Amino acid sequence: MRRIVIVLITALAGILLTAAPAFAGTGGSGNPHFQFASNSIGGTGTLTTSFKEVGLGTGISSVVISLNADATALYQCFNNGGNHPKAGNKETINSHLQTSGTFPVRNGNATGSLSVGPPGPGGFACPSGQTLFLQSVTYSHTIVSDAFGHSIDASPDPISSGALHVPA
């Protein structure tokens, strides 16, 4: 009977020692998840997403966080008088944007912000005597994720800039 108990205790200890590194590889011993991810658009059309990830445990000192978003930007030409010609001198640009950063983990939490965009005008250019302006941008499918596979949809989503008039 005593041998059976020793064998069972040894087997249980072996299982626990084998499982501990597996838990450490998934973001520490906590329960990693994003508490929030909030979108905002600045005056130049840049999307900034602020986030907080909690439950990372104390076994890691930093975490890589990524931001992915789809963007639609409207560019338009204006003459030197500030008017846009009646011609179709405007272009809609669709793009997928991505950025990432490394953030410190303090007390099992990581807090920060990532910014992307707006997408550039690509090959679109104005004729002589006109200037290209970013008129609006919309971001959708904004997702914040970590290196361990945890993610959250940022909100509001979609988010639009409203009227802009930013030289490109």
Side-chain angles (χ1 to χ4, degrees):
M1 177 72 168
R2 192 169 151 197
R3 283 188 197 165
I4 293 174
V5 170
I6 292 173
V7 170
L8 289 175
I9 290 173
T10 304
L12 182 60
I15 290 171
L16 290 175
L17 289 174
T18 305
F23 287 127
T26 61
S29 60
N31 176 23
H33 62 280
F34 286 94
Q35 197 169 51
F36 69 84
S38 300
N39 289 328
S40 63
I41 297 179
T44 60
T46 300
L47 172 71
T48 299
T49 303
S50 301
F51 62 86
K52 182 173 185 179
E53 186 172 22
V54 300
L56 291 165
T58 57
I60 59 174
S61 60
S62 64
V63 63
V64 175
I65 305 289
S66 298
L67 170 63
N68 285 275
D70 294 330
T72 302
L74 176 64
Y75 286 90
Q76 189 166 10
C77 297
F78 284 78
N79 63 27
N80 293 334
N83 300 312
H84 58 89
K86 298 291 182 200
N89 292 349
K90 60 183 174 181
E91 182 77 10
T92 300
I93 306 295
N94 295 304
S95 180
H96 179 79
L97 305 173
Q98 190 275 333
T99 191
S100 61
T102 301
F103 295 88
V105 174
R106 292 186 186 97
N107 298 319
N109 302 325
T111 303
S113 297
L114 291 166
S115 297
V116 294
F124 180 63
C126 296
S128 178
Q130 296 182 11
T131 304
L132 185 61
F133 286 86
L134 173 65
Q135 292 299 100
S136 67
V137 63
T138 298
Y139 297 94
S140 61
H141 306 108
T142 53
I143 299 172
V144 177
S145 58
D146 67 14
F148 308 114
H150 307 105
S151 65
I152 187 172
D153 294 338
S155 64
D157 189 350
I159 184 171
S160 296
S161 65
L164 297 172
H165 193 69
V166 180

